[in-house]
Coordinates of all heavy atoms in Angstrom, one line a residue:
M575 N -7.5 2.0 44.6 CA -7.2 0.6 44.2 C -6.9 0.6 42.7 O -7.7 1.1 41.9 CB -8.4 -0.3 44.6 CG -8.2 -1.7 44.1 SD -9.3 -2.8 44.9 CE -10.4 -3.1 43.6
T576 N -5.8 0.1 42.4 CA -5.4 -0.1 41.0 C -6.2 -1.2 40.3 O -6.3 -2.3 40.9 CB -3.9 -0.4 40.8 OG1 -3.2 0.7 41.4 CG2 -3.5 -0.6 39.4
Q577 N -6.8 -1.0 39.2 CA -7.4 -2.0 38.4 C -6.9 -1.9 37.0 O -6.4 -0.9 36.5 CB -8.9 -1.9 38.4 CG -9.5 -2.2 39.7 CD -11.0 -2.3 39.7 OE1 -11.7 -1.4 39.3 NE2 -11.5 -3.5 40.1
Y578 N -6.9 -3.0 36.3 CA -6.5 -3.1 34.9 C -7.7 -3.4 34.0 O -8.3 -4.4 34.1 CB -5.4 -4.2 34.7 CG -4.2 -4.0 35.6 CD1 -4.2 -4.7 36.8 CD2 -3.2 -3.2 35.3 CE1 -3.1 -4.5 37.7 CE2 -2.1 -3.0 36.2 CZ -2.1 -3.7 37.4 OH -1.0 -3.5 38.2
N579 N -8.0 -2.4 33.1 CA -9.1 -2.6 32.2 C -8.5 -3.2 30.9 O -7.8 -2.6 30.2 CB -9.7 -1.2 31.8 CG -10.4 -0.6 33.0 OD1 -10.9 -1.3 33.9 ND2 -10.5 0.7 33.0
I580 N -8.8 -4.5 30.7 CA -8.3 -5.2 29.6 C -9.3 -5.4 28.5 O -10.4 -5.9 28.8 CB -7.8 -6.6 30.1 CG1 -6.8 -6.5 31.2 CG2 -7.2 -7.4 28.9 CD1 -6.5 -7.8 31.9
Q581 N -9.0 -4.9 27.3 CA -9.9 -5.0 26.2 C -9.6 -6.3 25.5 O -8.6 -6.4 24.8 CB -9.8 -3.8 25.3 CG -10.2 -2.5 26.0 CD -10.1 -1.3 25.1 OE1 -9.6 -1.3 24.0 NE2 -10.6 -0.1 25.6
F582 N -10.5 -7.2 25.6 CA -10.3 -8.5 24.9 C -11.0 -8.5 23.5 O -12.2 -8.8 23.4 CB -11.0 -9.6 25.8 CG -10.2 -9.9 27.0 CD1 -10.6 -9.3 28.2 CD2 -9.2 -10.8 27.0 CE1 -9.9 -9.6 29.4 CE2 -8.5 -11.1 28.2 CZ -8.9 -10.5 29.4
Y583 N -10.3 -8.1 22.5 CA -10.8 -8.1 21.2 C -9.6 -8.0 20.2 O -8.5 -7.9 20.5 CB -11.7 -6.9 21.0 CG -11.0 -5.5 20.9 CD1 -10.8 -4.9 19.7 CD2 -10.4 -5.0 22.0 CE1 -10.2 -3.7 19.6 CE2 -9.8 -3.8 22.0 CZ -9.6 -3.1 20.7 OH -9.0 -1.9 20.7
N584 N -10.0 -8.2 18.9 CA -9.1 -8.0 17.7 C -7.9 -9.0 17.7 O -6.9 -8.8 17.1 CB -8.5 -6.6 17.6 CG -9.6 -5.7 17.0 OD1 -10.6 -6.1 16.6 ND2 -9.2 -4.4 17.0
Q585 N -8.0 -10.1 18.4 CA -7.0 -11.2 18.4 C -7.5 -12.4 17.8 O -6.8 -13.4 17.6 CB -6.4 -11.4 19.8 CG -5.8 -10.2 20.5 CD -4.7 -9.5 19.6 OE1 -4.0 -10.1 18.9 NE2 -4.7 -8.2 19.7
G586 N -8.9 -12.5 17.6 CA -9.5 -13.7 17.1 C -9.6 -14.8 18.1 O -9.9 -16.0 17.8
L587 N -9.3 -14.6 19.4 CA -9.3 -15.6 20.4 C -10.4 -15.4 21.4 O -10.7 -16.4 22.2 CB -8.0 -15.6 21.2 CG -6.8 -15.8 20.3 CD1 -5.5 -15.6 21.2 CD2 -6.8 -17.2 19.8
Y588 N -11.0 -14.3 21.5 CA -11.9 -14.0 22.6 C -13.3 -13.9 22.2 O -14.1 -13.0 22.6 CB -11.4 -12.7 23.3 CG -9.9 -12.7 23.6 CD1 -9.1 -11.8 23.0 CD2 -9.4 -13.5 24.5 CE1 -7.7 -11.8 23.2 CE2 -8.0 -13.5 24.8 CZ -7.2 -12.7 24.1 OH -5.9 -12.7 24.4
E589 N -13.8 -14.8 21.4 CA -15.1 -14.8 20.8 C -16.1 -15.8 21.5 O -17.2 -15.9 21.1 CB -15.1 -14.9 19.3 CG -14.3 -13.8 18.7 CD -14.2 -14.0 17.1 OE1 -14.1 -15.1 16.6 OE2 -14.3 -12.9 16.5
D590 N -15.6 -16.5 22.5 CA -16.5 -17.5 23.2 C -15.9 -17.5 24.6 O -14.9 -17.0 25.0 CB -16.5 -18.9 22.6 CG -15.1 -19.5 22.5 OD1 -14.2 -19.2 23.3 OD2 -14.9 -20.3 21.6
C591 N -16.7 -18.2 25.5 CA -16.4 -18.2 26.9 C -15.0 -18.9 27.2 O -14.3 -18.4 28.0 CB -17.5 -18.8 27.7 SG -19.0 -17.9 27.8
A592 N -14.8 -19.9 26.5 CA -13.5 -20.7 26.7 C -12.3 -19.8 26.4 O -11.4 -19.7 27.3 CB -13.5 -21.9 25.8
G593 N -12.3 -19.2 25.2 CA -11.1 -18.3 24.9 C -11.0 -17.1 25.8 O -9.9 -16.6 26.0
L594 N -12.1 -16.5 26.1 CA -12.1 -15.3 26.9 C -11.8 -15.6 28.4 O -11.0 -14.9 29.0 CB -13.5 -14.7 26.8 CG -13.8 -13.4 27.7 CD1 -12.8 -12.3 27.2 CD2 -15.2 -13.0 27.6
I595 N -12.4 -16.6 29.0 CA -12.3 -16.8 30.4 C -11.2 -17.9 30.8 O -10.5 -17.6 31.7 CB -13.7 -17.3 31.0 CG1 -14.8 -16.3 30.6 CG2 -13.6 -17.6 32.5 CD1 -14.6 -14.9 31.2
T596 N -11.2 -19.0 30.1 CA -10.3 -20.1 30.6 C -9.0 -20.3 29.9 O -8.0 -20.5 30.5 CB -11.1 -21.4 30.8 OG1 -11.6 -21.7 29.5 CG2 -12.2 -21.2 31.8
T597 N -9.0 -20.4 28.6 CA -7.9 -20.9 27.8 C -7.8 -20.2 26.5 O -8.4 -20.5 25.5 CB -7.9 -22.4 27.6 OG1 -8.2 -23.1 28.8 CG2 -6.6 -22.9 27.0
A598 N -7.0 -19.1 26.4 CA -6.7 -18.5 25.1 C -5.7 -19.3 24.3 O -4.8 -20.0 24.9 CB -6.1 -17.1 25.4
G599 N -5.9 -19.4 23.0 CA -5.1 -20.2 22.2 C -3.8 -19.5 21.8 O -3.6 -18.3 22.0
S600 N -3.0 -20.2 21.0 CA -1.8 -19.7 20.5 C -2.1 -18.7 19.4 O -3.0 -18.8 18.7 CB -1.0 -20.9 19.8 OG 0.2 -20.5 19.3
P601 N -1.3 -17.6 19.3 CA 0.0 -17.4 20.0 C -0.2 -16.6 21.3 O 0.8 -16.1 21.9 CB 0.7 -16.5 19.0 CG -0.3 -15.7 18.3 CD -1.6 -16.6 18.3
F602 N -1.4 -16.5 21.8 CA -1.7 -15.7 23.0 C -2.0 -16.6 24.2 O -2.7 -16.2 25.1 CB -2.8 -14.7 22.8 CG -2.5 -13.7 21.6 CD1 -3.0 -13.9 20.4 CD2 -1.6 -12.7 21.9 CE1 -2.7 -13.0 19.4 CE2 -1.3 -11.8 20.9 CZ -1.8 -11.9 19.6
T603 N -1.4 -17.7 24.3 CA -1.6 -18.6 25.4 C -1.3 -17.9 26.7 O -0.3 -17.2 26.8 CB -0.7 -19.9 25.2 OG1 -1.1 -20.5 24.0 CG2 -0.9 -20.9 26.4
G604 N -2.2 -18.1 27.7 CA -2.0 -17.4 28.9 C -2.7 -16.1 29.1 O -2.6 -15.4 30.1
S605 N -3.4 -15.6 28.0 CA -4.0 -14.3 28.1 C -5.5 -14.3 28.4 O -6.1 -13.3 28.4 CB -3.8 -13.6 26.8 OG -4.4 -14.2 25.7
A606 N -6.1 -15.5 28.6 CA -7.5 -15.6 29.0 C -7.6 -15.0 30.4 O -6.6 -15.0 31.2 CB -8.0 -17.0 29.0
L607 N -8.8 -14.5 30.8 CA -9.0 -13.8 32.1 C -8.4 -14.7 33.3 O -7.7 -14.1 34.1 CB -10.4 -13.5 32.3 CG -10.8 -12.8 33.6 CD1 -10.2 -11.3 33.5 CD2 -12.3 -12.8 33.8
L608 N -8.7 -15.9 33.3 CA -8.3 -16.7 34.5 C -6.9 -17.3 34.3 O -6.3 -17.8 35.3 CB -9.3 -17.9 34.7 CG -10.7 -17.5 35.0 CD1 -11.6 -18.8 35.2 CD2 -10.8 -16.7 36.3
E609 N -6.3 -17.0 33.2 CA -4.9 -17.4 33.0 C -3.9 -16.3 33.4 O -2.8 -16.5 33.9 CB -4.6 -17.7 31.5 CG -5.2 -19.0 31.0 CD -5.0 -19.2 29.6 OE1 -5.1 -18.3 28.8 OE2 -4.6 -20.4 29.2
I610 N -4.4 -15.1 33.3 CA -3.5 -13.9 33.6 C -2.9 -13.9 35.0 O -1.8 -13.6 35.2 CB -4.3 -12.6 33.3 CG1 -4.5 -12.5 31.8 CG2 -3.5 -11.4 33.8 CD1 -5.4 -11.4 31.3
P611 N -3.7 -14.3 36.1 CA -3.1 -14.3 37.4 C -1.9 -15.2 37.6 O -1.1 -15.0 38.5 CB -4.3 -14.8 38.3 CG -5.5 -14.4 37.5 CD -5.1 -14.5 36.1
K612 N -1.8 -16.2 36.7 CA -0.6 -17.1 36.8 C 0.7 -16.3 36.5 O 1.8 -16.8 36.8 CB -0.7 -18.2 35.8 CG -1.9 -19.1 36.1 CD -2.1 -20.2 35.1 CE -3.4 -21.0 35.3 NZ -3.8 -21.8 34.2
N613 N 0.5 -15.1 36.0 CA 1.7 -14.2 35.7 C 1.9 -13.1 36.7 O 2.6 -12.1 36.5 CB 1.5 -13.6 34.3 CG 1.6 -14.6 33.2 OD1 2.5 -15.3 33.1 ND2 0.5 -14.7 32.4
G614 N 1.2 -13.3 37.9 CA 1.5 -12.4 39.0 C 0.5 -11.3 39.2 O 0.7 -10.4 40.1
F615 N -0.6 -11.3 38.4 CA -1.6 -10.2 38.6 C -2.8 -10.7 39.5 O -3.2 -11.8 39.4 CB -2.2 -9.8 37.3 CG -1.2 -9.1 36.4 CD1 -0.4 -9.8 35.5 CD2 -1.1 -7.7 36.5 CE1 0.5 -9.1 34.7 CE2 -0.2 -7.0 35.7 CZ 0.6 -7.8 34.8
D616 N -3.2 -9.8 40.4 CA -4.4 -10.1 41.2 C -5.6 -10.3 40.4 O -6.0 -9.3 39.6 CB -4.6 -9.0 42.2 CG -5.7 -9.2 43.2 OD1 -6.6 -10.0 43.0 OD2 -5.7 -8.5 44.2
I617 N -6.3 -11.4 40.4 CA -7.4 -11.7 39.6 C -8.5 -10.6 39.8 O -9.3 -10.3 38.9 CB -8.0 -13.1 39.9 CG1 -9.0 -13.5 38.8 CG2 -8.6 -13.2 41.3 CD1 -9.4 -14.9 38.8
N618 N -8.7 -10.1 41.0 CA -9.8 -9.1 41.2 C -9.4 -7.7 40.9 O -10.1 -6.8 41.3 CB -10.3 -9.3 42.6 CG -11.0 -10.6 42.7 OD1 -11.9 -10.9 41.9 ND2 -10.7 -11.4 43.7
K619 N -8.3 -7.5 40.1 CA -8.0 -6.2 39.6 C -8.1 -6.2 38.1 O -7.8 -5.2 37.4 CB -6.5 -5.8 40.0 CG -6.4 -5.6 41.5 CD -5.1 -5.1 41.9 CE -5.1 -4.7 43.3 NZ -3.9 -3.9 43.7
L620 N -8.6 -7.3 37.5 CA -8.7 -7.5 36.0 C -10.1 -7.3 35.6 O -11.0 -8.1 35.8 CB -8.2 -8.9 35.6 CG -6.8 -9.3 36.1 CD1 -6.5 -10.7 35.7 CD2 -5.8 -8.4 35.5
V621 N -10.4 -6.1 35.0 CA -11.7 -5.7 34.5 C -11.8 -6.2 33.1 O -11.0 -5.8 32.3 CB -11.9 -4.2 34.7 CG1 -13.3 -3.8 34.1 CG2 -11.8 -3.8 36.1
L622 N -12.8 -6.9 32.8 CA -13.0 -7.5 31.5 C -13.7 -6.5 30.6 O -14.7 -6.0 30.9 CB -13.9 -8.8 31.6 CG -14.0 -9.7 30.5 CD1 -14.4 -11.1 31.1 CD2 -15.0 -9.2 29.5
G623 N -13.1 -6.2 29.5 CA -13.6 -5.2 28.5 C -13.9 -5.9 27.2 O -13.1 -6.6 26.6
K624 N -15.1 -5.5 26.6 CA -15.5 -6.1 25.3 C -16.2 -5.0 24.5 O -16.7 -4.0 25.0 CB -16.6 -7.2 25.5 CG -16.1 -8.4 26.2 CD -15.0 -9.1 25.4 CE -15.5 -9.9 24.3 NZ -14.5 -10.5 23.5
P625 N -16.1 -5.1 23.2 CA -16.8 -4.1 22.3 C -18.3 -4.2 22.5 O -18.9 -5.3 22.7 CB -16.4 -4.6 20.9 CG -15.9 -6.0 21.0 CD -15.4 -6.2 22.4
G626 N -19.0 -3.1 22.3 CA -20.4 -3.0 22.5 C -21.2 -3.6 21.4 O -22.3 -4.0 21.5
A627 N -20.6 -3.7 20.2 CA -21.3 -4.2 19.0 C -20.2 -4.8 18.1 O -19.0 -4.5 18.2 CB -22.0 -3.1 18.2
A628 N -20.6 -5.7 17.2 CA -19.7 -6.3 16.3 C -18.9 -5.3 15.4 O -17.8 -5.5 15.1 CB -20.4 -7.3 15.4
S629 N -19.6 -4.2 15.1 CA -19.0 -3.2 14.3 C -17.9 -2.3 15.1 O -17.2 -1.5 14.4 CB -20.0 -2.2 13.8 OG -20.7 -1.6 14.8
D630 N -17.8 -2.5 16.4 CA -16.9 -1.8 17.2 C -15.4 -2.3 17.2 O -14.6 -1.7 17.8 CB -17.4 -1.6 18.6 CG -18.6 -0.8 18.6 OD1 -18.8 0.1 17.7 OD2 -19.4 -0.9 19.6
A631 N -15.2 -3.5 16.6 CA -13.9 -4.1 16.6 C -13.8 -5.0 15.4 O -14.9 -5.5 14.9 CB -13.7 -4.9 17.9
T632 N -12.7 -5.4 15.0 CA -12.5 -6.3 13.9 C -13.1 -7.7 14.2 O -13.7 -8.3 13.4 CB -11.0 -6.4 13.5 OG1 -10.5 -5.1 13.2 CG2 -10.8 -7.3 12.3
N633 N -12.8 -8.1 15.4 CA -13.4 -9.3 15.9 C -13.4 -9.3 17.4 O -13.0 -8.3 18.0 CB -12.7 -10.6 15.4 CG -11.2 -10.6 15.7 OD1 -10.8 -10.4 16.8 ND2 -10.4 -10.8 14.7
G634 N -13.9 -10.3 18.1 CA -13.9 -10.4 19.5 C -15.2 -10.0 20.2 O -15.4 -10.1 21.4
F635 N -16.2 -9.7 19.4 CA -17.6 -9.4 19.9 C -18.2 -10.7 20.4 O -18.2 -11.7 19.7 CB -18.4 -8.7 18.9 CG -19.8 -8.5 19.3 CD1 -20.1 -7.4 20.2 CD2 -20.9 -9.3 18.9 CE1 -21.4 -7.2 20.6 CE2 -22.2 -9.1 19.3 CZ -22.5 -8.0 20.2
I636 N -18.9 -10.6 21.5 CA -19.7 -11.6 22.1 C -21.0 -11.0 22.4 O -21.0 -9.9 23.1 CB -19.1 -12.3 23.4 CG1 -17.8 -13.0 23.0 CG2 -20.1 -13.3 23.9 CD1 -17.1 -13.6 24.3
D637 N -22.2 -11.5 21.9 CA -23.4 -10.8 22.2 C -23.6 -10.8 23.8 O -23.1 -11.6 24.5 CB -24.6 -11.6 21.6 CG -24.9 -12.9 22.2 OD1 -25.7 -12.9 23.2 OD2 -24.4 -13.9 21.8
P638 N -24.2 -9.7 24.2 CA -24.3 -9.4 25.7 C -24.8 -10.6 26.5 O -24.3 -10.8 27.6 CB -25.1 -8.2 25.8 CG -25.1 -7.5 24.5 CD -24.9 -8.6 23.5
A639 N -25.9 -11.3 26.0 CA -26.5 -12.4 26.8 C -25.4 -13.5 27.0 O -25.3 -14.1 28.1 CB -27.7 -12.9 26.1
T640 N -24.7 -13.8 25.9 CA -23.7 -14.9 26.0 C -22.6 -14.4 26.9 O -22.0 -15.2 27.7 CB -23.2 -15.2 24.6 OG1 -24.3 -15.7 23.8 CG2 -22.1 -16.3 24.6
L641 N -22.2 -13.2 26.7 CA -21.1 -12.6 27.6 C -21.5 -12.8 29.1 O -20.7 -13.0 29.9 CB -20.8 -11.1 27.2 CG -19.8 -10.5 28.0 CD1 -18.4 -11.2 28.0 CD2 -19.6 -9.0 27.5
G642 N -22.8 -12.6 29.4 CA -23.3 -12.7 30.7 C -23.0 -14.1 31.3 O -22.7 -14.3 32.4
T643 N -23.1 -15.1 30.4 CA -22.8 -16.5 30.9 C -21.3 -16.7 31.1 O -20.9 -17.4 32.0 CB -23.4 -17.6 29.9 OG1 -22.6 -17.5 28.7 CG2 -24.8 -17.4 29.6
C644 N -20.5 -16.0 30.3 CA -19.1 -16.0 30.5 C -18.7 -15.4 31.8 O -17.9 -15.9 32.6 CB -18.3 -15.3 29.4 SG -18.6 -15.9 27.7
V645 N -19.3 -14.3 32.1 CA -19.1 -13.5 33.4 C -19.5 -14.4 34.5 O -18.7 -14.5 35.5 CB -19.9 -12.2 33.4 CG1 -19.9 -11.6 34.8 CG2 -19.2 -11.2 32.4
D646 N -20.6 -15.1 34.5 CA -21.0 -16.0 35.5 C -20.0 -17.1 35.7 O -19.7 -17.5 36.9 CB -22.4 -16.6 35.2 CG -23.5 -15.6 35.3 OD1 -23.3 -14.5 35.9 OD2 -24.6 -15.9 34.7
Q647 N -19.4 -17.6 34.7 CA -18.4 -18.7 34.8 C -17.2 -18.1 35.5 O -16.6 -18.8 36.4 CB -17.9 -19.2 33.4 CG -19.0 -20.0 32.8 CD -18.5 -20.4 31.3 OE1 -17.3 -20.5 31.0 NE2 -19.5 -20.6 30.5
A648 N -16.7 -16.9 35.2 CA -15.6 -16.3 35.8 C -15.8 -16.0 37.3 O -15.0 -16.3 38.1 CB -15.2 -15.0 35.1
V649 N -17.0 -15.5 37.6 CA -17.3 -15.3 39.0 C -17.4 -16.6 39.8 O -16.8 -16.6 40.9 CB -18.7 -14.5 39.1 CG1 -19.2 -14.5 40.6 CG2 -18.5 -13.1 38.6
A650 N -17.9 -17.6 39.2 CA -17.9 -18.9 39.9 C -16.5 -19.4 40.2 O -16.3 -20.2 41.1 CB -18.7 -19.9 39.1
A651 N -15.5 -19.0 39.3 CA -14.1 -19.4 39.5 C -13.4 -18.5 40.5 O -12.2 -18.6 40.6 CB -13.4 -19.5 38.2
G652 N -14.0 -17.5 41.0 CA -13.4 -16.6 42.0 C -13.1 -15.2 41.6 O -12.6 -14.4 42.4
W653 N -13.4 -14.8 40.3 CA -13.2 -13.5 39.8 C -14.3 -12.6 40.1 O -15.5 -13.0 40.1 CB -13.0 -13.5 38.3 CG -13.0 -12.2 37.6 CD1 -11.9 -11.4 37.5 CD2 -14.0 -11.6 36.9 NE1 -12.3 -10.3 36.7 CE2 -13.6 -10.4 36.4 CE3 -15.4 -12.0 36.6 CZ2 -14.4 -9.6 35.6 CZ3 -16.2 -11.2 35.9 CH2 -15.7 -10.0 35.4
K654 N -14.1 -11.3 40.5 CA -15.2 -10.4 40.8 C -14.9 -8.9 40.5 O -15.5 -8.0 41.1 CB -15.6 -10.6 42.3 CG -14.5 -10.3 43.3 CD -15.0 -10.6 44.7 CE -13.8 -10.4 45.6 NZ -13.9 -11.0 46.9
A655 N -14.0 -8.7 39.6 CA -13.5 -7.3 39.3 C -14.6 -6.5 38.6 O -14.7 -5.3 38.7 CB -12.2 -7.3 38.6
G656 N -15.3 -7.1 37.6 CA -16.3 -6.4 36.9 C -16.0 -6.3 35.4 O -15.0 -6.8 34.9
I657 N -16.9 -5.7 34.7 CA -16.8 -5.6 33.2 C -16.9 -4.2 32.8 O -17.4 -3.3 33.5 CB -17.9 -6.5 32.5 CG1 -19.3 -6.0 32.8 CG2 -17.7 -7.9 32.8 CD1 -20.4 -6.7 32.1
M658 N -16.4 -3.9 31.6 CA -16.6 -2.6 31.0 C -16.8 -2.8 29.5 O -16.5 -3.9 29.0 CB -15.3 -1.8 31.2 CG -14.1 -2.3 30.7 SD -13.3 -1.1 29.6 CE -11.9 -2.0 29.0
A659 N -17.3 -1.8 28.9 CA -17.5 -1.9 27.4 C -17.0 -0.7 26.7 O -16.8 0.4 27.4 CB -19.0 -2.0 27.1
F660 N -16.8 -0.7 25.5 CA -16.3 0.4 24.7 C -17.2 0.6 23.5 O -17.8 -0.3 23.0 CB -14.8 0.4 24.4 CG -14.3 -0.8 23.8 CD1 -14.2 -1.0 22.4 CD2 -13.9 -1.9 24.6 CE1 -13.7 -2.2 21.9 CE2 -13.5 -3.1 24.0 CZ -13.3 -3.2 22.7
Q661 N -17.3 1.9 23.1 CA -18.0 2.3 22.0 C -19.5 2.6 22.3 O -20.4 1.9 21.8 CB -17.9 1.4 20.8 CG -16.5 1.3 20.2 CD -16.0 2.5 19.6 OE1 -15.4 3.3 20.4 NE2 -16.1 2.7 18.4
F662 N -19.7 3.6 23.1 CA -21.1 4.1 23.3 C -21.5 4.7 22.0 O -20.7 5.3 21.3 CB -21.1 5.2 24.4 CG -22.4 5.7 24.7 CD1 -23.3 5.0 25.6 CD2 -22.8 6.9 24.2 CE1 -24.6 5.5 25.8 CE2 -24.1 7.4 24.4 CZ -25.0 6.7 25.3
P663 N -22.7 4.6 21.5 CA -23.9 4.2 22.3 C -24.2 2.7 22.1 O -25.2 2.2 22.7 CB -25.0 5.0 21.6 CG -24.6 5.1 20.2 CD -23.1 5.2 20.3
N664 N -23.3 1.9 21.4 CA -23.6 0.5 21.3 C -23.6 -0.3 22.6 O -24.3 -1.2 22.8 CB -22.7 -0.2 20.3 CG -22.8 0.4 18.9 OD1 -24.0 0.7 18.5 ND2 -21.7 0.6 18.2
A665 N -22.7 0.2 23.5 CA -22.6 -0.4 24.8 C -23.4 0.4 25.8 O -22.9 1.2 26.6 CB -21.2 -0.6 25.2
D666 N -24.7 0.3 25.8 CA -25.6 1.1 26.6 C -26.1 0.4 27.8 O -25.5 -0.7 28.2 CB -26.8 1.6 25.7 CG -27.6 0.5 25.1 OD1 -27.4 -0.7 25.5 OD2 -28.4 0.8 24.3
A667 N -27.0 0.9 28.5 CA -27.6 0.3 29.7 C -28.1 -1.1 29.5 O -27.9 -2.0 30.3 CB -28.6 1.2 30.4
A668 N -28.8 -1.3 28.4 CA -29.3 -2.6 28.1 C -28.2 -3.6 27.9 O -28.2 -4.8 28.3 CB -30.2 -2.6 26.8
W669 N -27.1 -3.2 27.2 CA -25.9 -4.0 27.0 C -25.3 -4.5 28.4 O -25.1 -5.6 28.6 CB -24.8 -3.3 26.2 CG -23.6 -4.0 25.9 CD1 -23.4 -4.7 24.7 CD2 -22.5 -4.3 26.7 NE1 -22.2 -5.3 24.7 CE2 -21.6 -5.1 25.9 CE3 -22.1 -4.0 28.0 CZ2 -20.4 -5.6 26.4 CZ3 -20.9 -4.4 28.4 CH2 -20.0 -5.2 27.7
I670 N -25.1 -3.5 29.3 CA -24.5 -3.8 30.6 C -25.4 -4.7 31.4 O -25.0 -5.6 32.1 CB -24.0 -2.6 31.3 CG1 -23.0 -2.9 32.4 CG2 -25.2 -1.9 32.0 CD1 -21.7 -3.3 31.9
K671 N -26.7 -4.5 31.3 CA -27.7 -5.3 32.1 C -27.5 -6.8 31.6 O -27.5 -7.7 32.5 CB -29.1 -4.8 31.9 CG -30.1 -5.6 32.7 CD -31.5 -5.0 32.5 CE -32.4 -5.8 33.4 NZ -33.8 -5.3 33.3
A672 N -27.4 -7.0 30.3 CA -27.3 -8.4 29.8 C -25.9 -9.0 30.1 O -25.8 -10.1 30.5 CB -27.7 -8.5 28.4
A673 N -24.9 -8.2 29.8 CA -23.5 -8.6 29.9 C -23.0 -8.9 31.3 O -22.1 -9.7 31.5 CB -22.6 -7.6 29.3
K674 N -23.7 -8.4 32.3 CA -23.2 -8.6 33.7 C -23.6 -10.0 34.2 O -23.2 -10.4 35.3 CB -23.6 -7.5 34.7 CG -25.1 -7.5 34.9 CD -25.5 -6.4 35.9 CE -27.0 -6.4 36.1 NZ -27.3 -5.5 37.2
G675 N -24.5 -10.7 33.4 CA -24.9 -12.0 33.9 C -25.8 -11.9 35.1 O -26.3 -10.8 35.5
S676 N -25.9 -13.0 35.8 CA -26.7 -13.0 37.1 C -25.8 -12.8 38.3 O -26.3 -12.7 39.4 CB -27.4 -14.3 37.2 OG -26.5 -15.4 37.3
S677 N -24.5 -12.6 38.1 CA -23.5 -12.5 39.2 C -23.4 -11.1 39.8 O -23.1 -11.0 41.0 CB -22.1 -12.9 38.7 OG -22.2 -14.3 38.2
F678 N -23.7 -10.1 39.0 CA -23.6 -8.7 39.5 C -25.0 -8.1 39.6 O -25.4 -7.5 38.6 CB -22.6 -7.9 38.7 CG -21.2 -8.3 38.7 CD1 -20.7 -9.0 37.6 CD2 -20.4 -8.1 39.8 CE1 -19.4 -9.4 37.6 CE2 -19.1 -8.5 39.8 CZ -18.6 -9.2 38.7
Q679 N -25.7 -8.3 40.7 CA -27.0 -7.7 40.7 C -27.1 -6.5 41.5 O -26.5 -6.0 42.2 CB -27.9 -8.8 41.5 CG -28.0 -10.1 40.7 CD -28.7 -9.9 39.3 OE1 -29.6 -9.1 39.1 NE2 -28.2 -10.6 38.3

């Protein structure tokens, strides 16, 4: 099964749940997770990727607990592809446990 690992960072838009999940702002309108399917992509092939720590990207970091609430919002809207992180060791098992929210048990 093809999946697309999308790294949401370094654009200054993906630092809260609204910009990441529902409505990315200009000039990247249409690039939030739930906006991308409007361009023909299967929502459940879009894997959400975030930096493991603020130092791993210029911007776009969301602390794992907050990211977990964003993930829960996306799952409630019908998304279920999963999350990924970059920059081990900052994105370790504790990071993924918090970032997956309560939706992926």
